[in-house]
């Protein structure tokens, strides 16, 4: 499947890596410093699990930050399917630096690859339906851009990045603004050009959101019959997004209702990391 793997800005990767290294190294790696400073070594990183690779930018940057003399040679690319026992990359350089960088590099790679692997599993369930699976803001603090990149590596798509790039008007917003039409009008006036999505819990609210001409409507916890009815009522006027109680078991049936998107918090929440290992030669 074609993947939208637009590069994450270097400044974000640097921030992620610098924070992680500071947390791990602190005042210095006292164990790695037992090795002679001039010792050179070669290492390989392998996976014990099958899955989808994600995290090259972060891993390469970790080794570069620890010791710029370390060379990194990848055997696979982000988005590639991996088999258990496969070698992912080879490293050469000072042994101290390789060992100091090991855990931070593996943490990024196993976490992001785990996210991408989960997303590929979900994406395969709806292949051929035309439905796009969306992530949410339920990401690890400080790693949103990284996890949303992993979502793309797995073949799913990104919802809004944060609270700044699109409106998502929910029940409490609607109540505080005095109704759906008033909330949508305020959104148009306060940030012209920003996409407006309204979350609805009934057919009446759906009709109001369509009448207000928002770009997308989120169907919150609609059952399958209600989703099909919503698709008919909408008649293509707004994009429809199903949300709530979505599992691997229910995914295919939801995709068949005719909605355009399905948003799933589980894409980035509680993903199992891939089992990786670095071996020093």
């Amino acid at each position: 499947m074609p993947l939208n793997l637009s590069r994450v800005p270097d400044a974000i990767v640097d921030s992620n890596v610098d924070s992680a290294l500071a947390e791990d190294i602190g005042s210095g790696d006292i164990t790695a410093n037992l090795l002679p400073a001039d010792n050179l070594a070669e290492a390989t990183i392998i996976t014990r699990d099958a899955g989808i690779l994600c995290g090259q930018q972060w891993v390469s940057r970790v080794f570069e930050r620890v010791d710029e003399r370390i060379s990194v040679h990848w055997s696979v690319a982000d988005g590639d399917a991996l088999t258990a026992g496969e070698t992912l990359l080879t490293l050469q350089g000072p042994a101290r630096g390789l060992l100091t960088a090991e855990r931070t590099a593996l943490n990024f790679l196993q976490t992001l690859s785990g996210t991408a692997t989960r997303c590929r599993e979900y994406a395969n369930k709806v292949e051929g339906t035309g439905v796009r699976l969306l992530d949410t803001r339920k990401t690890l603090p400080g790693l949103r851009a990284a996890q949303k990149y992993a979502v793309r590596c797995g073949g799913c798509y990104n919802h809004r990045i944060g609270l700044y790039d699109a409106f998502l008007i929910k029940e409490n917003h609607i109540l505080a603004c005095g109704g759906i039409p008033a909330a949508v009008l305020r959104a148009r006036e306060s940030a012209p050009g920003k996409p407006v999505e309204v979350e609805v819990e009934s057919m009446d609210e759906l009709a109001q959101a369509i009448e207000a001409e928002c770009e997308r409507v989120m169907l919150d916890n609609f059952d399958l019959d209600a989703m099909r009815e919503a698709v008919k009522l909408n008649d293509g006027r707004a994009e429809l997004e199903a949300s709530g109680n979505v599992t691997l078991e229910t995914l295919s049936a939801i995709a068949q209702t005719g909605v355009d998107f399905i948003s799933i918090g589980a894409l980035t929440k509680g993903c199992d990391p891939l089992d990786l290992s670095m071996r020093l030669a």
Side-chain angles (χ1 to χ4, degrees):
M1 65 181 73
L3 302 175
N4 173 25
L5 300 187
S6 54
R7 186 179 176 87
V8 175
D10 288 338
I12 293 176
V13 177
D14 288 347
S15 176
N16 293 160
V17 167
D18 290 347
S19 176
L21 287 173
E23 177 180 69
D24 202 31
I25 298 172
S27 59
D29 183 351
I30 60 176
T31 311
N33 287 343
L34 297 174
L35 281 65
D38 58 353
N39 271 20
L40 299 178
E42 180 172 308
T44 57
I45 292 179
I46 68 163
T47 177
R48 295 190 180 96
D49 293 330
I52 303 299
L53 184 80
C54 180
Q56 287 185 304
Q57 281 183 261
W58 290 264
V59 172
S60 295
R61 197 63 170 145
V62 166
F63 286 106
E64 179 184 345
R65 277 286 208 247
V66 169
D67 194 322
E68 61 185 11
R69 294 171 293 174
I70 295 174
S71 59
V72 182
H73 306 281
W74 289 92
S75 304
V76 289
D78 282 348
D80 283 355
L82 309 174
T83 57
E86 188 171 358
T87 297
L88 309 182
L89 66 155
T90 304
L91 305 144
Q92 293 96 22
R96 280 187 180 182
L98 290 172
L99 293 174
T100 296
E102 175 184 3
R103 176 40 54 198
T104 299
L106 291 180
N107 282 350
F108 279 117
L109 194 59
Q110 68 185 24
T111 300
L112 298 181
S113 295
T115 301
T117 301
R118 165 85 55 90
C119 289
R120 183 65 58 85
E121 182 181 16
Y122 275 74
N124 286 343
K125 286 283 188 180
V126 299
E127 190 171 8
T129 66
V131 169
R132 292 190 177 192
L133 303 185
L134 303 177
D135 58 20
T136 69
R137 289 166 42 241
K138 296 173 182 176
T139 54
L140 294 169
L143 288 180
R144 178 163 298 171
Q147 277 200 289
K148 282 185 173 279
Y149 172 75
V151 167
R152 301 196 298 274
C153 284
C156 296
Y157 296 82
N158 298 147
H159 204 283
R160 59 179 180 163
I161 303 302
L163 296 173
Y164 56 88
D165 57 326
F167 289 98
L168 179 47
I169 300 171
K170 298 190 175 187
E171 180 183 10
N172 287 332
H173 304 106
I174 293 168
L175 190 63
C177 289
I180 289 174
V184 173
L185 180 60
R186 281 197 179 189
R188 299 289 188 211
E189 292 174 345
S190 65
K194 296 283 187 182
V196 178
E197 179 173 5
V198 175
E199 180 185 78
V200 302
E201 298 178 350
S202 68
M203 290 299 167
D204 179 61
E205 288 184 347
L206 172 61
Q208 292 181 52
I210 294 170
E211 185 66 24
E213 298 183 346
C214 59
E215 284 84 358
R216 188 181 300 175
V217 181
M218 178 184 287
L219 308 175
D220 183 38
N221 287 304
F222 278 42
D223 63 27
L224 294 176
D225 287 338
M227 287 183 204
R228 286 188 279 267
E229 186 180 346
V231 170
K232 290 181 181 178
L233 176 64
N234 178 56
D235 195 27
R237 287 174 287 177
E239 295 175 331
L240 295 182
E241 174 185 335
S243 180
N245 296 318
V246 180
T247 67
L248 274 174
E249 292 69 35
T250 63
L251 194 54
S252 179
I254 294 172
Q256 297 297 332
T257 64
V259 295
D260 303 290
F261 303 96
I262 305 171
S263 53
I264 311 166
L267 294 183
T268 53
K269 215 173 73 169
C271 298
D272 294 328
L274 257 60
D275 186 3
L276 308 176
S277 176
M278 189 177 91
R279 297 174 177 174
L280 208 63

PDB file of all heavy atoms in Angstrom, residues 82-114:
ATOM      1  N   LEU A  82       8.780  -6.684   8.643  1.00  0.00           N
ATOM      2  CA  LEU A  82       9.944  -7.371   9.205  1.00  0.00           C
ATOM      3  C   LEU A  82       9.591  -8.802   9.560  1.00  0.00           C
ATOM      4  O   LEU A  82       8.459  -9.101   9.947  1.00  0.00           O
ATOM      5  CB  LEU A  82      10.420  -6.648  10.466  1.00  0.00           C
ATOM      6  CG  LEU A  82      10.646  -5.138  10.367  1.00  0.00           C
ATOM      7  CD1 LEU A  82      10.977  -4.577  11.735  1.00  0.00           C
ATOM      8  CD2 LEU A  82      11.739  -4.829   9.349  1.00  0.00           C
ATOM      9  N   THR A  83      10.580  -9.683   9.473  1.00  0.00           N
ATOM     10  CA  THR A  83      10.416 -11.052   9.918  1.00  0.00           C
ATOM     11  C   THR A  83      11.264 -11.279  11.162  1.00  0.00           C
ATOM     12  O   THR A  83      12.294 -10.625  11.355  1.00  0.00           O
ATOM     13  CB  THR A  83      10.847 -12.048   8.834  1.00  0.00           C
ATOM     14  OG1 THR A  83      12.215 -11.785   8.469  1.00  0.00           O
ATOM     15  CG2 THR A  83       9.974 -11.906   7.604  1.00  0.00           C
ATOM     16  N   ALA A  84      10.834 -12.187  12.019  1.00  0.00           N
ATOM     17  CA  ALA A  84      11.571 -12.478  13.243  1.00  0.00           C
ATOM     18  C   ALA A  84      12.980 -12.954  12.908  1.00  0.00           C
ATOM     19  O   ALA A  84      13.174 -13.773  12.004  1.00  0.00           O
ATOM     20  CB  ALA A  84      10.834 -13.539  14.056  1.00  0.00           C
ATOM     21  N   GLY A  85      13.965 -12.403  13.622  1.00  0.00           N
ATOM     22  CA  GLY A  85      15.355 -12.757  13.396  1.00  0.00           C
ATOM     23  C   GLY A  85      16.069 -11.879  12.391  1.00  0.00           C
ATOM     24  O   GLY A  85      17.278 -12.025  12.181  1.00  0.00           O
ATOM     25  N   GLU A  86      15.358 -10.947  11.765  1.00  0.00           N
ATOM     26  CA  GLU A  86      15.944 -10.108  10.718  1.00  0.00           C
ATOM     27  C   GLU A  86      16.868  -9.047  11.316  1.00  0.00           C
ATOM     28  O   GLU A  86      16.593  -8.461  12.363  1.00  0.00           O
ATOM     29  CB  GLU A  86      14.823  -9.434   9.928  1.00  0.00           C
ATOM     30  CG  GLU A  86      15.290  -8.680   8.703  1.00  0.00           C
ATOM     31  CD  GLU A  86      14.135  -8.212   7.828  1.00  0.00           C
ATOM     32  OE1 GLU A  86      12.966  -8.513   8.164  1.00  0.00           O
ATOM     33  OE2 GLU A  86      14.407  -7.560   6.805  1.00  0.00           O
ATOM     34  N   THR A  87      17.983  -8.781  10.618  1.00  0.00           N
ATOM     35  CA  THR A  87      18.890  -7.693  11.000  1.00  0.00           C
ATOM     36  C   THR A  87      18.365  -6.383  10.438  1.00  0.00           C
ATOM     37  O   THR A  87      18.092  -6.273   9.234  1.00  0.00           O
ATOM     38  CB  THR A  87      20.313  -7.956  10.471  1.00  0.00           C
ATOM     39  OG1 THR A  87      20.824  -9.141  11.083  1.00  0.00           O
ATOM     40  CG2 THR A  87      21.240  -6.788  10.793  1.00  0.00           C
ATOM     41  N   LEU A  88      18.228  -5.391  11.298  1.00  0.00           N
ATOM     42  CA  LEU A  88      17.660  -4.105  10.898  1.00  0.00           C
ATOM     43  C   LEU A  88      18.731  -3.095  10.521  1.00  0.00           C
ATOM     44  O   LEU A  88      18.558  -2.312   9.594  1.00  0.00           O
ATOM     45  CB  LEU A  88      16.795  -3.545  12.027  1.00  0.00           C
ATOM     46  CG  LEU A  88      15.739  -4.492  12.597  1.00  0.00           C
ATOM     47  CD1 LEU A  88      14.921  -3.780  13.664  1.00  0.00           C
ATOM     48  CD2 LEU A  88      14.839  -5.036  11.487  1.00  0.00           C
ATOM     49  N   LEU A  89      19.827  -3.076  11.259  1.00  0.00           N
ATOM     50  CA  LEU A  89      20.900  -2.140  10.976  1.00  0.00           C
ATOM     51  C   LEU A  89      22.205  -2.643  11.555  1.00  0.00           C
ATOM     52  O   LEU A  89      22.230  -3.466  12.479  1.00  0.00           O
ATOM     53  CB  LEU A  89      20.594  -0.741  11.507  1.00  0.00           C
ATOM     54  CG  LEU A  89      20.498  -0.536  13.014  1.00  0.00           C
ATOM     55  CD1 LEU A  89      20.800   0.916  13.384  1.00  0.00           C
ATOM     56  CD2 LEU A  89      19.099  -0.877  13.517  1.00  0.00           C
ATOM     57  N   THR A  90      23.299  -2.118  10.984  1.00  0.00           N
ATOM     58  CA  THR A  90      24.644  -2.413  11.448  1.00  0.00           C
ATOM     59  C   THR A  90      25.308  -1.110  11.860  1.00  0.00           C
ATOM     60  O   THR A  90      25.100  -0.066  11.219  1.00  0.00           O
ATOM     61  CB  THR A  90      25.467  -3.087  10.345  1.00  0.00           C
ATOM     62  OG1 THR A  90      24.771  -4.271   9.911  1.00  0.00           O
ATOM     63  CG2 THR A  90      26.843  -3.476  10.839  1.00  0.00           C
ATOM     64  N   LEU A  91      26.092  -1.156  12.923  1.00  0.00           N
ATOM     65  CA  LEU A  91      26.731   0.037  13.476  1.00  0.00           C
ATOM     66  C   LEU A  91      28.231  -0.208  13.642  1.00  0.00           C
ATOM     67  O   LEU A  91      28.652  -1.317  13.982  1.00  0.00           O
ATOM     68  CB  LEU A  91      26.131   0.376  14.848  1.00  0.00           C
ATOM     69  CG  LEU A  91      24.618   0.552  14.907  1.00  0.00           C
ATOM     70  CD1 LEU A  91      24.062   0.023  16.219  1.00  0.00           C
ATOM     71  CD2 LEU A  91      24.246   2.023  14.732  1.00  0.00           C
ATOM     72  N   GLN A  92      29.023   0.811  13.383  1.00  0.00           N
ATOM     73  CA  GLN A  92      30.458   0.749  13.656  1.00  0.00           C
ATOM     74  C   GLN A  92      30.878   2.030  14.350  1.00  0.00           C
ATOM     75  O   GLN A  92      30.404   3.121  14.001  1.00  0.00           O
ATOM     76  CB  GLN A  92      31.275   0.591  12.363  1.00  0.00           C
ATOM     77  CG  GLN A  92      31.098  -0.728  11.645  1.00  0.00           C
ATOM     78  CD  GLN A  92      30.069  -0.660  10.541  1.00  0.00           C
ATOM     79  OE1 GLN A  92      29.772   0.407  10.022  1.00  0.00           O
ATOM     80  NE2 GLN A  92      29.503  -1.803  10.183  1.00  0.00           N
ATOM     81  N   GLY A  93      31.772   1.882  15.334  1.00  0.00           N
ATOM     82  CA  GLY A  93      32.283   3.063  16.011  1.00  0.00           C
ATOM     83  C   GLY A  93      32.805   2.739  17.388  1.00  0.00           C
ATOM     84  O   GLY A  93      32.947   1.567  17.761  1.00  0.00           O
ATOM     85  N   PRO A  94      33.091   3.779  18.185  1.00  0.00           N
ATOM     86  CA  PRO A  94      33.588   3.568  19.540  1.00  0.00           C
ATOM     87  C   PRO A  94      32.616   2.732  20.371  1.00  0.00           C
ATOM     88  O   PRO A  94      31.412   2.995  20.402  1.00  0.00           O
ATOM     89  CB  PRO A  94      33.710   4.987  20.087  1.00  0.00           C
ATOM     90  CG  PRO A  94      33.913   5.845  18.870  1.00  0.00           C
ATOM     91  CD  PRO A  94      33.056   5.195  17.814  1.00  0.00           C
ATOM     92  N   ALA A  95      33.149   1.720  21.053  1.00  0.00           N
ATOM     93  CA  ALA A  95      32.302   0.809  21.831  1.00  0.00           C
ATOM     94  C   ALA A  95      31.562   1.541  22.936  1.00  0.00           C
ATOM     95  O   ALA A  95      30.404   1.234  23.228  1.00  0.00           O
ATOM     96  CB  ALA A  95      33.169  -0.315  22.413  1.00  0.00           C
ATOM     97  N   ARG A  96      32.218   2.517  23.558  1.00  0.00           N
ATOM     98  CA  ARG A  96      31.543   3.278  24.615  1.00  0.00           C
ATOM     99  C   ARG A  96      30.258   3.912  24.094  1.00  0.00           C
ATOM    100  O   ARG A  96      29.200   3.817  24.715  1.00  0.00           O
ATOM    101  CB  ARG A  96      32.469   4.383  25.142  1.00  0.00           C
ATOM    102  CG  ARG A  96      33.516   3.950  26.133  1.00  0.00           C
ATOM    103  CD  ARG A  96      34.225   5.188  26.666  1.00  0.00           C
ATOM    104  NE  ARG A  96      35.260   4.870  27.642  1.00  0.00           N
ATOM    105  CZ  ARG A  96      35.994   5.792  28.269  1.00  0.00           C
ATOM    106  NH1 ARG A  96      35.788   7.082  28.008  1.00  0.00           N
ATOM    107  NH2 ARG A  96      36.918   5.420  29.144  1.00  0.00           N
ATOM    108  N   GLY A  97      30.367   4.578  22.958  1.00  0.00           N
ATOM    109  CA  GLY A  97      29.205   5.268  22.404  1.00  0.00           C
ATOM    110  C   GLY A  97      28.098   4.311  22.006  1.00  0.00           C
ATOM    111  O   GLY A  97      26.907   4.585  22.215  1.00  0.00           O
ATOM    112  N   LEU A  98      28.468   3.177  21.421  1.00  0.00           N
ATOM    113  CA  LEU A  98      27.465   2.186  21.024  1.00  0.00           C
ATOM    114  C   LEU A  98      26.660   1.710  22.228  1.00  0.00           C
ATOM    115  O   LEU A  98      25.426   1.619  22.169  1.00  0.00           O
ATOM    116  CB  LEU A  98      28.143   0.990  20.352  1.00  0.00           C
ATOM    117  CG  LEU A  98      28.754   1.245  18.973  1.00  0.00           C
ATOM    118  CD1 LEU A  98      29.566   0.035  18.528  1.00  0.00           C
ATOM    119  CD2 LEU A  98      27.673   1.570  17.946  1.00  0.00           C
ATOM    120  N   LEU A  99      27.356   1.431  23.339  1.00  0.00           N
ATOM    121  CA  LEU A  99      26.664   0.923  24.520  1.00  0.00           C
ATOM    122  C   LEU A  99      25.862   2.005  25.229  1.00  0.00           C
ATOM    123  O   LEU A  99      24.784   1.737  25.769  1.00  0.00           O
ATOM    124  CB  LEU A  99      27.686   0.307  25.478  1.00  0.00           C
ATOM    125  CG  LEU A  99      28.358  -0.965  24.947  1.00  0.00           C
ATOM    126  CD1 LEU A  99      29.462  -1.424  25.884  1.00  0.00           C
ATOM    127  CD2 LEU A  99      27.335  -2.076  24.743  1.00  0.00           C
ATOM    128  N   THR A 100      26.370   3.228  25.221  1.00  0.00           N
ATOM    129  CA  THR A 100      25.638   4.329  25.854  1.00  0.00           C
ATOM    130  C   THR A 100      24.340   4.631  25.106  1.00  0.00           C
ATOM    131  O   THR A 100      23.293   4.896  25.716  1.00  0.00           O
ATOM    132  CB  THR A 100      26.504   5.594  25.912  1.00  0.00           C
ATOM    133  OG1 THR A 100      27.635   5.343  26.754  1.00  0.00           O
ATOM    134  CG2 THR A 100      25.732   6.791  26.458  1.00  0.00           C
ATOM    135  N   ALA A 101      24.381   4.552  23.798  1.00  0.00           N
ATOM    136  CA  ALA A 101      23.213   4.897  22.977  1.00  0.00           C
ATOM    137  C   ALA A 101      22.210   3.752  22.866  1.00  0.00           C
ATOM    138  O   ALA A 101      21.046   3.975  22.498  1.00  0.00           O
ATOM    139  CB  ALA A 101      23.670   5.301  21.578  1.00  0.00           C
ATOM    140  N   GLU A 102      22.631   2.546  23.202  1.00  0.00           N
ATOM    141  CA  GLU A 102      21.832   1.343  22.920  1.00  0.00           C
ATOM    142  C   GLU A 102      20.393   1.437  23.414  1.00  0.00           C
ATOM    143  O   GLU A 102      19.440   1.276  22.651  1.00  0.00           O
ATOM    144  CB  GLU A 102      22.502   0.119  23.553  1.00  0.00           C
ATOM    145  CG  GLU A 102      21.693  -1.156  23.418  1.00  0.00           C
ATOM    146  CD  GLU A 102      22.334  -2.334  24.153  1.00  0.00           C
ATOM    147  OE1 GLU A 102      23.374  -2.144  24.814  1.00  0.00           O
ATOM    148  OE2 GLU A 102      21.769  -3.437  24.066  1.00  0.00           O
ATOM    149  N   ARG A 103      20.189   1.664  24.705  1.00  0.00           N
ATOM    150  CA  ARG A 103      18.834   1.587  25.264  1.00  0.00           C
ATOM    151  C   ARG A 103      17.930   2.685  24.717  1.00  0.00           C
ATOM    152  O   ARG A 103      16.764   2.437  24.394  1.00  0.00           O
ATOM    153  CB  ARG A 103      18.896   1.632  26.784  1.00  0.00           C
ATOM    154  CG  ARG A 103      17.555   1.648  27.509  1.00  0.00           C
ATOM    155  CD  ARG A 103      16.499   0.734  26.911  1.00  0.00           C
ATOM    156  NE  ARG A 103      16.948  -0.643  26.759  1.00  0.00           N
ATOM    157  CZ  ARG A 103      16.362  -1.523  25.979  1.00  0.00           C
ATOM    158  NH1 ARG A 103      15.299  -1.174  25.243  1.00  0.00           N
ATOM    159  NH2 ARG A 103      16.810  -2.757  25.880  1.00  0.00           N
ATOM    160  N   THR A 104      18.438   3.898  24.612  1.00  0.00           N
ATOM    161  CA  THR A 104      17.600   4.985  24.095  1.00  0.00           C
ATOM    162  C   THR A 104      17.197   4.704  22.651  1.00  0.00           C
ATOM    163  O   THR A 104      16.030   4.894  22.269  1.00  0.00           O
ATOM    164  CB  THR A 104      18.338   6.327  24.192  1.00  0.00           C
ATOM    165  OG1 THR A 104      18.625   6.601  25.565  1.00  0.00           O
ATOM    166  CG2 THR A 104      17.498   7.459  23.627  1.00  0.00           C
ATOM    167  N   ALA A 105      18.139   4.232  21.842  1.00  0.00           N
ATOM    168  CA  ALA A 105      17.834   3.918  20.444  1.00  0.00           C
ATOM    169  C   ALA A 105      16.783   2.805  20.358  1.00  0.00           C
ATOM    170  O   ALA A 105      15.815   2.900  19.592  1.00  0.00           O
ATOM    171  CB  ALA A 105      19.103   3.514  19.708  1.00  0.00           C
ATOM    172  N   LEU A 106      16.958   1.763  21.156  1.00  0.00           N
ATOM    173  CA  LEU A 106      16.009   0.653  21.123  1.00  0.00           C
ATOM    174  C   LEU A 106      14.636   1.073  21.632  1.00  0.00           C
ATOM    175  O   LEU A 106      13.614   0.603  21.131  1.00  0.00           O
ATOM    176  CB  LEU A 106      16.541  -0.515  21.947  1.00  0.00           C
ATOM    177  CG  LEU A 106      17.763  -1.250  21.380  1.00  0.00           C
ATOM    178  CD1 LEU A 106      18.171  -2.387  22.308  1.00  0.00           C
ATOM    179  CD2 LEU A 106      17.505  -1.778  19.976  1.00  0.00           C
ATOM    180  N   ASN A 107      14.611   1.947  22.637  1.00  0.00           N
ATOM    181  CA  ASN A 107      13.316   2.420  23.150  1.00  0.00           C
ATOM    182  C   ASN A 107      12.507   3.111  22.059  1.00  0.00           C
ATOM    183  O   ASN A 107      11.298   2.873  21.910  1.00  0.00           O
ATOM    184  CB  ASN A 107      13.525   3.374  24.323  1.00  0.00           C
ATOM    185  CG  ASN A 107      13.856   2.646  25.614  1.00  0.00           C
ATOM    186  OD1 ASN A 107      13.752   1.426  25.697  1.00  0.00           O
ATOM    187  ND2 ASN A 107      14.266   3.387  26.625  1.00  0.00           N
ATOM    188  N   PHE A 108      13.163   3.994  21.303  1.00  0.00           N
ATOM    189  CA  PHE A 108      12.463   4.665  20.204  1.00  0.00           C
ATOM    190  C   PHE A 108      12.016   3.642  19.160  1.00  0.00           C
ATOM    191  O   PHE A 108      10.859   3.650  18.716  1.00  0.00           O
ATOM    192  CB  PHE A 108      13.366   5.710  19.539  1.00  0.00           C
ATOM    193  CG  PHE A 108      13.430   7.018  20.259  1.00  0.00           C
ATOM    194  CD1 PHE A 108      14.614   7.487  20.798  1.00  0.00           C
ATOM    195  CD2 PHE A 108      12.302   7.816  20.405  1.00  0.00           C
ATOM    196  CE1 PHE A 108      14.684   8.700  21.466  1.00  0.00           C
ATOM    197  CE2 PHE A 108      12.347   9.041  21.067  1.00  0.00           C
ATOM    198  CZ  PHE A 108      13.550   9.478  21.602  1.00  0.00           C
ATOM    199  N   LEU A 109      12.927   2.768  18.760  1.00  0.00           N
ATOM    200  CA  LEU A 109      12.641   1.854  17.660  1.00  0.00           C
ATOM    201  C   LEU A 109      11.561   0.845  18.028  1.00  0.00           C
ATOM    202  O   LEU A 109      10.660   0.564  17.223  1.00  0.00           O
ATOM    203  CB  LEU A 109      13.929   1.139  17.246  1.00  0.00           C
ATOM    204  CG  LEU A 109      13.893   0.398  15.903  1.00  0.00           C
ATOM    205  CD1 LEU A 109      13.566   1.360  14.763  1.00  0.00           C
ATOM    206  CD2 LEU A 109      15.229  -0.291  15.646  1.00  0.00           C
ATOM    207  N   GLN A 110      11.613   0.294  19.237  1.00  0.00           N
ATOM    208  CA  GLN A 110      10.614  -0.722  19.602  1.00  0.00           C
ATOM    209  C   GLN A 110       9.235  -0.107  19.812  1.00  0.00           C
ATOM    210  O   GLN A 110       8.215  -0.708  19.456  1.00  0.00           O
ATOM    211  CB  GLN A 110      11.065  -1.480  20.849  1.00  0.00           C
ATOM    212  CG  GLN A 110      11.087  -0.680  22.126  1.00  0.00           C
ATOM    213  CD  GLN A 110      11.667  -1.476  23.295  1.00  0.00           C
ATOM    214  OE1 GLN A 110      12.425  -2.418  23.112  1.00  0.00           O
ATOM    215  NE2 GLN A 110      11.302  -1.079  24.512  1.00  0.00           N
ATOM    216  N   THR A 111       9.205   1.113  20.365  1.00  0.00           N
ATOM    217  CA  THR A 111       7.922   1.771  20.621  1.00  0.00           C
ATOM    218  C   THR A 111       7.243   2.201  19.327  1.00  0.00           C
ATOM    219  O   THR A 111       6.046   1.941  19.111  1.00  0.00           O
ATOM    220  CB  THR A 111       8.122   2.992  21.532  1.00  0.00           C
ATOM    221  OG1 THR A 111       8.679   2.557  22.775  1.00  0.00           O
ATOM    222  CG2 THR A 111       6.803   3.712  21.793  1.00  0.00           C
ATOM    223  N   LEU A 112       7.993   2.856  18.448  1.00  0.00           N
ATOM    224  CA  LEU A 112       7.398   3.339  17.203  1.00  0.00           C
ATOM    225  C   LEU A 112       7.082   2.191  16.252  1.00  0.00           C
ATOM    226  O   LEU A 112       6.058   2.210  15.558  1.00  0.00           O
ATOM    227  CB  LEU A 112       8.331   4.361  16.547  1.00  0.00           C
ATOM    228  CG  LEU A 112       8.585   5.620  17.386  1.00  0.00           C
ATOM    229  CD1 LEU A 112       9.500   6.586  16.645  1.00  0.00           C
ATOM    230  CD2 LEU A 112       7.282   6.308  17.766  1.00  0.00           C
ATOM    231  N   SER A 113       7.925   1.169  16.231  1.00  0.00           N
ATOM    232  CA  SER A 113       7.631  -0.004  15.402  1.00  0.00           C
ATOM    233  C   SER A 113       6.411  -0.751  15.936  1.00  0.00           C
ATOM    234  O   SER A 113       5.609  -1.281  15.160  1.00  0.00           O
ATOM    235  CB  SER A 113       8.844  -0.935  15.353  1.00  0.00           C
ATOM    236  OG  SER A 113       9.937  -0.316  14.696  1.00  0.00           O
ATOM    237  N   GLY A 114       6.255  -0.783  17.252  1.00  0.00           N
ATOM    238  CA  GLY A 114       5.060  -1.398  17.831  1.00  0.00           C
ATOM    239  C   GLY A 114       3.796  -0.672  17.425  1.00  0.00           C
ATOM    240  O   GLY A 114       2.771  -1.293  17.124  1.00  0.00           O
TER     241      GLY A 114
END
